[in-house]
Amino acid sequence: MSDHNLSGRVWATAALVAAPLMPATNLGWWFPLHLALLGTITQVIVGGQLMFSATLGLSRGPSRRVTLTQLALLNLGAILVIGGRLWDSRTALALGAATVTIAIVWVLSLVDRLWRHSVNRRFTITGTFYRLAGVSIIFGATIGGALGIGAFSNASSYVNHRSVHMALNVLGWAGLTVVGTAITLLPTILHVRAPKLRTLRAVPWLMFGGLTLLVTGNSIGFGPLAGVGMASYAAGLATFAVYVRKVLSTPRRRQVPTAALHLVAALAWLGFTALSLVVVSATADHAALRDLVVVGGAGGFAFQAVLGAWSFLLPSTRAPLPELRRRELVAMELGGRAQVIVYNIGLVAVLVGLRSGIDSALAGTVFVWIAAAWALAKSWGFPLLASLPAVRERSERWWAEPDR
């Protein structure tokens, strides 16, 4: 997954740089959003699905040559999609969407094979989440390509399918993958044992089935059906929330790290977004749906989940030197709690500003940008930070036995 994380950080850096330049591109929020979604979130998800499928399923993963080829296709597709919008080239955009879709289909076939050949049946539900997430992005990317080339000339049809595109990509691709991964990642980050998974069997189907109803309702312009779909999706998340509560209430010997704070906050944003969309979808308020999916879904949930995962995974995937790894994990804790608080306060301010007359969106955007920039700076510089005397001292306290 190291290659995917490296590429994802490059795209995340580009998204942060692009955010203040939005007025100059005439693309508004679309530009940094797709840098983050196509460049960062999709590539990290692909790397994560392959890594966790091989690790949890005790299966032999694909070769590095294969994963690098897939990563190259994802990068090419992202460049063509984003470049196609910047250059006003529908051909480039269509080729980009097709390239991304082909890469995802390839990845999905490998993920399916890994789980079918798995000798560890305990975590097969994660494989179900991953497969359904892959189906979501295939349809989401296809609809996105159709939107980009002007396939929906009718204004109402365009808006309806734009909502479908966003929901499939953020709530389906990212939502199903992150929930399926959090089943084991959250207990690992907190150093506690994962609870029994029997209660989660219906969750992926409630979420994916709900998305199917949402897509159908929006496609035919029938809001109540879309609202029922989001209610099903929210019911799946509510069941998963009970599982998360069990994880958080399990006695632990270590402090709660930044990675867990970001991940729990991200899941809270997903729940809030889903519940809000029950009403918004039923009333066919596409402007509110866009704001909720972009701010709550993409920013609050998906990108925040990646920032949290990096706080744990980046140090954990380096050389297995225990003392160095402990210091590098602690380096990610520098300003961690403030980072989480500022990031989420900023998101609230942005959403309030967009959905009310309160002029708070700009200030909220600045807060989010600062917190994300600090988190991203640590993702690049944590090996250097780990060598600082202050980090060494903090590491000794952080990993000390509770009675010390």
Side-chain angles (χ1 to χ4, degrees):
M1 191 178 176
S2 298
D3 298 314
H4 296 80
N5 283 329
L6 175 60
S7 181
R9 280 179 286 165
V10 171
W11 282 96
T13 303
L16 282 180
V17 172
L21 304 177
M22 286 191 294
T25 64
N26 295 320
L27 295 180
W29 55 265
W30 188 96
F31 185 40
L33 177 67
H34 281 75
L35 287 170
L37 286 176
L38 271 176
T40 299
I41 294 166
T42 291
Q43 293 181 20
V44 172
I45 283 176
V46 165
Q49 282 205 8
L50 290 170
M51 184 186 76
F52 282 100
S53 295
T55 302
L56 296 176
L58 302 179
S59 302
R60 183 177 180 179
S63 67
R64 188 163 184 251
R65 178 180 59 82
V66 168
T67 59
L68 283 176
T69 303
Q70 294 171 340
L71 184 59
L73 286 174
L74 290 173
N75 276 291
L76 176 61
I79 290 170
L80 288 172
V81 169
I82 295 168
R85 281 297 302 270
L86 288 172
W87 310 322
D88 197 22
S89 170
R90 292 185 175 183
T91 301
L93 195 152
L95 285 173
T99 302
V100 170
T101 303
I102 290 170
I104 295 296
V105 170
W106 187 6
V107 171
L108 184 60
S109 68
L110 291 180
V111 168
D112 178 65
R113 189 198 70 190
L114 289 171
W115 285 106
R116 282 190 291 106
H117 295 165
S118 169
V119 297
N120 181 11
R121 312 308 299 172
R122 182 186 178 194
F123 299 110
T124 52
I125 190 172
T126 297
T128 302
F129 275 106
Y130 288 176
R131 294 182 182 102
L132 296 178
V135 173
S136 298
I137 188 62
I138 290 170
F139 284 103
T142 302
I143 294 172
L147 288 167
I149 64 175
F152 303 104
S153 56
N154 179 274
S156 177
S157 178
Y158 176 87
V159 171
N160 287 338
H161 285 89
R162 184 188 65 182
S163 297
V164 168
H165 164 66
M166 292 191 298
L168 285 171
N169 290 350
V170 176
L171 303 181
W173 175 231
L176 285 162
T177 298
V178 172
V179 170
T181 303
I183 290 172
T184 52
L185 182 59
L186 184 59
T188 301
I189 292 172
L190 291 171
H191 300 279
V192 299
R193 183 175 176 81
K196 294 182 179 179
L197 307 180
R198 289 193 299 269
T199 58
L200 300 179
R201 290 175 181 170
V203 172
W205 300 106
L206 284 170
M207 294 175 67
F208 183 75
L211 281 176
T212 302
L213 293 178
L214 174 70
V215 168
T216 304
N218 274 318
S219 298
I220 64 177
F222 186 53
L225 181 61
V228 170
M230 282 312 306
S232 172
Y233 188 96
L237 283 179
T239 304
F240 179 67
V242 175
Y243 175 86
V244 172
R245 183 177 179 276
K246 290 180 181 178
V247 173
L248 296 177
S249 62
T250 302
R252 55 184 175 270
R253 302 174 63 190
R254 305 297 179 193
Q255 300 179 51
V256 179
T258 299
L261 295 175
H262 266 311
L263 185 54
V264 171
L267 292 170
W269 273 106
L270 180 61
F272 168 77
T273 302
L275 287 172
S276 300
L277 289 180
V278 173
V279 176
V280 168
S281 299
T283 57
D285 187 345
H286 292 285
L289 185 147
R290 177 200 60 204
D291 293 342
L292 284 164
V293 173
V294 170
V295 179
F301 164 63
F303 194 68
Q304 178 163 208
V306 168
L307 293 178
W310 277 344
S311 297
F312 176 77
L313 292 177
L314 292 180
S316 299
T317 53
R318 282 170 52 81
L321 303 174
E323 180 59 31
L324 177 60
R325 178 171 293 180
R326 285 194 290 265
R327 292 202 309 268
E328 290 182 344
L329 284 167
V330 170
M332 288 295 200
E333 299 302 316
L334 296 178
R337 280 166 172 71
Q339 165 190 313
V340 174
I341 293 170
V342 170
Y343 186 88
N344 285 282
I345 287 177
L347 286 169
V348 172
V350 171
L351 192 57
V352 169
L354 290 174
R355 303 309 310 163
S356 71
I358 301 174
D359 187 14
S360 61
L362 179 58
T365 302
V366 172
F367 272 43
V368 172
W369 193 94
I370 291 173
W374 174 239
L376 191 57
K378 288 191 296 182
S379 77
W380 288 112
F382 70 90
L384 178 61
L385 293 172
S387 64
L388 298 176
V391 173
R392 291 174 180 267
E393 294 176 7
R394 185 173 181 180
S395 178
E396 293 177 0
R397 298 193 304 271
W398 184 275
W399 300 106
E401 292 299 322
D403 58 347
R404 285 180 56 184

